[in-house]
Structure formats: C-alpha cells, structure tokens
Amino acid sequence: MAGTFELFADEDSRIRFRLVAPDGAVLAVSGQYPDKYQAAAAIRDVRECAGTGLISDLAPAAALARVGAQRSPHHVRPYSTGTANSRGAA
C-alpha cells in the first residue's frame, strides 16, 4: 500500500507537503518551500532515498525502555547492534 504526498499551504502561506498513510495517519510533514515546484522536487528526493535510507539512532538508551509500553499495530522493533550511534538498513 502506498501513502500519499499532499501539498498544502501553511499558516504563513508557504507550501509544505505531508506524507499520509493509507489509513489517514500523517507520517511526516516537510519544512516550508517558496513554491509548489520546489516542494515537488523535495518529494522526488524523498521518494528516491526513502526506500534505501539508513536508520541513525540518536535517541538516548532510556527511550528504548518506554517503547514496549506504547506498542501499536504498526510498531517496528528498534534496530540495535549494541553500539551507540550505529546504522543499519531498514
């Protein structure tokens, strides 16, 4: 199932986009762009790198303890190699 990129004007009348999951959940919101063309170019960049993007864990280890209590149907297990700031493919 594919999500949808939605272009919209924010409260400053600047263009932004959001990535919306098929169930309607907002997965990501962009920064501001001066026009639709630049926002569309950013969407192309996101599409290109999202499938191969690495995970960089910058969260403190204590944040991991709270994950178990907040599981949802879309929960993804934290990636860990046992070393701080490690990176791995999603």
Side-chain angles (χ1 to χ4, degrees):
M1 287 188 242
T4 302
F5 287 96
E6 297 178 343
L7 291 171
F8 67 97
D10 66 12
E11 61 277 351
D12 297 327
S13 298
R14 301 292 297 260
I15 302 297
R16 291 179 176 243
F17 65 85
R18 59 184 153 237
L19 175 59
V20 181
D23 67 358
V26 176
L27 301 175
V29 178
S30 75
Q32 296 178 324
Y33 295 92
D35 57 48
K36 290 182 181 181
Y37 301 105
Q38 290 184 21
I43 290 170
R44 282 191 299 275
D45 292 343
V46 169
R47 285 177 169 165
E48 184 176 319
C49 73
T52 59
L54 300 178
I55 298 170
S56 181
D57 184 358
L58 303 177
L64 190 58
R66 294 190 296 267
V67 171
Q70 299 174 359
R71 289 203 170 197
S72 71
H74 302 290
H75 176 75
V76 176
R77 287 185 313 149
Y79 175 81
S80 175
T81 63
T83 59
N85 296 325
S86 61
R87 292 186 175 151

